[in-house]
Amino acid sequence: EDQVTQSPEALRLQEGESSSLNCSYTVSGLRGLFWYRQDPGKGPEFLFTLYSAGEEKEKERLKATLTKKESFLHITAPKPEDSATYLCAVHSGGGADGLTFGKGTHLIIQP
Amino acid sequence: DAGVIQSPRHEVTEMGQEVTLRCKPISGHDYLFWYRQTMMRGLELLIYFNNNVPIDDSGMPEDRFSAKMPNASFSTLKIQPSEPRDSAVYFCASSFSPSYGYTFGSGTRLTVV
């Protein structure tokens, strides 16, 4: 069974204070690892897909990296508008096409 | 494109009543997914369709839950009878290829009292 564990559950940072969110996964063959952002009262919004170990992707202040067992979402010099819940999900090679999600990291950036 | 459209946004119903949630996927997306989100369990896959055909319904919690996709532009998730433990946010998502991720709707917040 696919498993996704995110840490920490919650993180409070000062504006400009860089940090990283972790996503550990166990799957039977990884077809893709996804990062989503979710704002209160809204659906998850797609950020990145990573397909193989060593791959990196960037978008503004966010950078996602992937190893064979985990992914990191690095946030550089965050701003209050980066406050949200960040979700990690995996698409496995088990045959099904549903994504398995972690429970997310609730990030708060204080001005 | 208007994105994935779900209705209603909020639903409050009494225990034992039938509830129907609706979803319009993005045109051209062959995959449609129904998820449920709670604080305790996070996002859980309930069922998904490919080309209007249900592929995997192993996440549907009980026989009280059923889902249909009569055509490429419409899907429903029905709960009958509803129970307080069904209270959650229900999301619909669509994709042209799961390998590239999904687009989610804004969700339906269901409260069963």
Side-chain angles (χ1 to χ4, degrees):
Chain A
E1 182 180 329
D2 300 338
Q3 289 190 331
V4 180
T5 303
Q6 292 188 246
S7 62
E9 290 185 9
L11 181 62
R12 188 181 297 265
L13 300 172
Q14 291 296 123
E15 183 173 0
E17 181 183 1
S18 301
S19 188
S20 297
L21 313 183
N22 177 262
C23 170
S24 298
Y25 62 89
T26 304
V27 297
S28 54
L30 182 70
R31 287 199 275 172
L33 185 139
F34 301 83
W35 283 98
Y36 282 84
R37 169 190 172 129
Q38 186 174 24
D39 292 299
K42 296 187 177 181
E45 178 185 344
F46 172 79
L47 292 173
F48 303 109
T49 310
L50 301 167
Y51 295 102
S52 57
E55 190 174 359
E56 299 182 351
K57 288 193 176 172
E58 289 188 64
K59 180 180 180 180
E60 297 181 359
R61 295 176 292 281
L62 300 177
K63 178 180 175 180
T65 62
L66 180 65
T67 72
K68 289 186 177 180
K69 293 188 176 182
E70 58 190 354
S71 176
F72 292 93
L73 185 65
H74 307 279
I75 302 177
T76 301
K79 298 181 178 181
E81 53 262 41
D82 295 323
S83 299
T85 295
Y86 291 85
L87 298 165
C88 173
V90 295
H91 183 208
S92 76
D97 281 316
L99 298 185
T100 300
F101 281 83
K103 292 186 178 180
T105 294
H106 182 48
L107 178 66
I108 297 174
I109 308 299
Q110 294 181 307
Chain B
D1 198 320
V4 177
I5 300 172
Q6 291 187 246
S7 64
R9 287 298 313 275
H10 303 274
E11 177 80 43
V12 180
T13 190
E14 292 186 347
M15 183 173 63
Q17 295 298 306
E18 177 178 298
V19 176
T20 299
L21 311 181
R22 297 172 175 80
C23 176
K24 176 180 170 57
I26 292 173
S27 177
H29 283 191
D30 294 330
Y31 289 83
L32 184 139
F33 303 82
W34 282 100
Y35 277 82
R36 177 171 68 175
Q37 187 175 40
T38 62
M39 289 292 293
M40 288 294 295
R41 302 174 68 90
L43 272 166
E44 301 175 282
L45 177 65
L46 299 177
I47 185 171
Y48 78 93
F49 297 81
N50 183 21
N51 292 319
N52 312 336
V53 176
I55 303 300
D56 182 0
D57 66 354
S58 59
M60 297 285 260
E62 299 172 31
D63 291 345
R64 300 183 296 105
F65 286 69
S66 63
K68 294 182 179 180
M69 193 165 186
N71 57 62
S73 59
F74 183 66
S75 177
T76 60
L77 178 67
K78 185 177 294 186
I79 308 173
Q80 165 64 13
S82 58
E83 297 182 3
R85 59 194 168 121
D86 301 330
S87 297
V89 181
Y90 290 80
F91 286 104
C92 174
S94 70
S95 174
F96 70 90
S97 171
S99 297
Y100 294 96
Y102 309 162
T103 301
F104 281 83
S106 297
T108 295
R109 179 173 295 277
L110 174 65
T111 304
V112 183
V113 297

